Amino acid sequence: MKIVFVNPVGAIGGAERVLLTILAALLTAQPNIQLHLIVGTDGPLIEQAEKLGVQVKVLKLPEELNQLGDSAFKGNNKAIAGLILLLRIVKILPSIGKYLQEFKRSLRELKPDLIHSNGIKTHLLVALAGIKGIPVVWHIHDFYGSRPLMALALKWMSDRATIGIAISQAVAQDARTTLPRLPVEVIYNAVDINYFSPALSTLPSSPFRVGLVATFARWKGHDIFLEAAARIVRSHPDLNIRFCIVGGAIYQTRGSQFSEQELRNKASHLGIAEKVDFLGFQQDIVAIYRSLDIVVHASTQPEPFGLAIVEAMACGRPVIVSQAGGAAELFTHNYDAVGVPPGEPIALATAILDLLNNFEKRQIISEKARYTVTERFSHERLGQQIFAVYKGT
Ligand code: GLC
């Protein structure tokens, strides 16, 4: 069986980490399977996929298309935002047309048995390419309902897809409402539990380290994290504590991300600049998780899944989770992680201090967290589950 995966970018965010886990899991579960990947931009995903034995082709998306997205318009006047987006699309129609020809030619040459698309832009591209007689899987990593213009386009073209795989129940529910004609199945994301594993020693570190691991999308809550940090520093000025921001701006969509400078300025305004470390995008993320005493997830909007939560839990770290959307399905409050309401720095600061003051609670939660991940989110189930979807198409 030959599968062609298509991914909008070559950069590595959560959806790409899941993609790499799926590729590896499929190759283990079905050693004869042939895997190809077409990506829309350069980036580290290419080399990582090639290392697994996947044949990768870069078909560079037109620059203007990379910068397009309706998430930048969130909260603005919808009609005006829609009009601007429409005008931008019209302007780049010729380059999209040219790209589609190339995309179609590549697919025709590869002759796949199935196409597995991993992002909104590639869902639309595959649909527009109009390849007949080949099943198409849409992997759904986001709440499409919160992106009205994209949702409309996807709904319009959902007939061209055979099935959707949603990464959580919350995402599936949204997809079933937004794309009523598409059958949707839930397959929870998974992580390689051998790679994401606890450190041998779990002694408290000095200084105490609290970290947020996320891309710089604005809804990931870096601002809430910094506000919570400022509260803690203000109420406990002698505490030997550091706040680590791990990650960077990886997407090209305009206006939807923080810049590091903006976050540094915010930390300065709050008077905690010297307590915050900006670690950037990290290759060896396991070492980072292991070095943190508490991992914070602070998304201000419902998180579709929240891969960093499960990665950190797999590394046996106590995680504080912004409890909404798919993220709320990943843990049990005060058992294997701690839930807090999204967007509330006071609640976050309180939860951090509670864990910080309670070594035993951290230990117990850490152990349960690792156990939960091995039971529910291990990569070992993923290959079979995905392959079962392929067989059903
Ligand atoms: C998207 C979602 C995130 C999820 C990731 C992997 O980035 O926003 O919640 O963890 O995809 O599925």
Side-chain angles (χ1 to χ4, degrees):
M1 192 178 204
K2 188 194 269 185
I3 315 291
V4 173
F5 285 83
V6 280
N7 195 65
V9 292
I12 299 188
E16 290 72 30
R17 299 212 294 285
V18 170
L19 174 61
L20 286 166
T21 311
I22 291 173
L23 295 171
L26 276 173
L27 288 165
T28 308
Q30 303 289 327
N32 292 327
I33 204 163
Q34 276 179 277
L35 303 183
H36 291 255
L37 169 63
I38 300 178
V39 293
T41 67
D42 270 325
L45 173 66
I46 299 164
E47 197 190 322
Q48 299 238 14
E50 278 172 347
K51 257 196 230 153
L52 295 171
V54 177
Q55 302 223 17
V56 187
K57 180 168 179 127
V58 187
L59 263 188
K60 280 202 186 134
L61 283 162
E63 199 54 36
E64 311 89 313
L65 190 64
N66 280 332
Q67 293 170 356
L68 212 64
D70 57 359
S71 59
F73 297 112
K74 266 179 198 161
N76 291 339
N77 181 312
K78 295 261 157 42
I80 294 177
L83 201 67
I84 296 173
L85 189 66
L86 205 72
L87 286 174
R88 280 200 198 156
I89 292 175
V90 169
K91 205 170 128 210
I92 61 173
L93 272 181
S95 47
I96 295 181
K98 217 169 119 215
Y99 186 83
L100 270 176
Q101 293 306 324
E102 238 182 294
F103 186 67
K104 254 193 214 171
R105 197 175 328 122
S106 302
L107 284 179
R108 250 189 257 124
E109 273 167 24
L110 286 170
K111 294 198 187 72
D113 296 301
L114 183 142
I115 299 169
H116 189 145
S117 164
N118 201 47
I120 296 180
K121 280 175 192 160
T122 49
H123 296 348
L124 295 177
L125 277 175
V126 173
L128 285 170
I131 308 276
K132 300 250 156 61
I134 302 175
V136 173
V137 176
W138 281 2
H139 213 113
I140 306 176
H141 290 272
D142 290 294
F143 292 116
Y144 295 163
S146 67
R147 308 183 58 176
L149 298 166
M150 286 297 186
L152 208 65
L154 287 164
K155 182 179 175 185
W156 194 35
M157 299 201 200
S158 62
D159 282 346
R160 307 272 179 103
T162 318
I163 188 166
I165 296 177
I167 56 169
S168 63
Q169 297 290 350
V171 167
Q173 205 178 359
D174 174 79
R176 287 179 187 127
T177 314
T178 317
L179 314 170
R181 292 193 300 270
L182 185 73
V184 174
E185 202 172 292
V186 176
I187 299 183
Y188 278 114
N189 287 336
V191 297
D192 182 336
I193 58 166
N194 300 324
Y195 178 63
F196 290 99
S197 60
L200 294 177
S201 131
T202 54
L203 292 173
S205 68
S206 179
F208 194 89
R209 287 200 172 80
V210 183
L212 178 75
V213 182
T215 65
F216 277 7
R218 301 192 91 85
W219 59 275
K220 290 286 184 180
H222 297 77
D223 45 351
I224 303 296
F225 178 65
L226 289 173
E227 280 162 35
R231 284 188 168 269
I232 293 170
V233 172
R234 236 179 285 134
S235 59
H236 297 73
D238 298 329
L239 209 59
N240 189 12
I241 190 166
R242 300 213 62 81
F243 297 92
C244 310
I245 291 189
V246 188
I250 63 160
Y251 299 112
Q252 288 171 302
T253 315
R254 276 188 206 145
S256 62
Q257 304 179 89
F258 287 116
S259 69
E260 187 174 311
Q261 196 52 50
E262 206 178 343
L263 293 174
R264 282 186 186 276
N265 292 347
K266 170 123 190 149
S268 301
H269 277 306
L270 290 165
I272 54 166
E274 73 291 349
K275 295 267 186 194
V276 184
D277 298 314
F278 287 88
L279 303 184
F281 180 83
Q282 290 284 324
Q283 284 295 342
D284 189 2
I285 195 68
V286 171
I288 296 287
Y289 286 128
R290 288 177 183 164
S291 74
L292 297 171
D293 296 283
I294 297 174
V295 176
V296 170
H297 163 265
S299 295
T300 52
Q301 289 171 24
E303 176 79 51
F305 183 89
L307 199 60
I309 299 166
V310 170
E311 289 173 350
M313 287 170 76
C315 291
R317 303 329 290 154
V319 188
I320 299 175
V321 184
S322 191
Q323 198 165 7
E329 297 166 38
L330 309 180
F331 72 101
T332 306
H333 175 56
N334 271 346
Y335 173 75
D336 47 15
V338 174
V340 288
E344 291 188 22
I346 302 179
L348 178 56
T350 308
I352 293 173
L353 283 170
D354 175 57
L355 278 180
L356 187 154
N357 289 324
N358 199 335
F359 179 67
E360 207 189 328
K361 183 171 177 185
R362 294 207 305 277
Q363 285 283 93
I364 294 171
I365 286 184
S366 299
E367 275 166 33
K368 303 284 188 215
R370 171 72 189 173
Y371 182 73
T372 295
V373 175
T374 55
E375 288 291 295
R376 296 183 59 208
F377 303 110
S378 163
H379 63 288
E380 281 155 10
R381 62 161 164 78
L382 198 58
Q384 299 299 348
Q385 275 182 313
I386 299 277
F387 195 69
V389 169
Y390 293 169
K391 283 216 304 218
T393 58

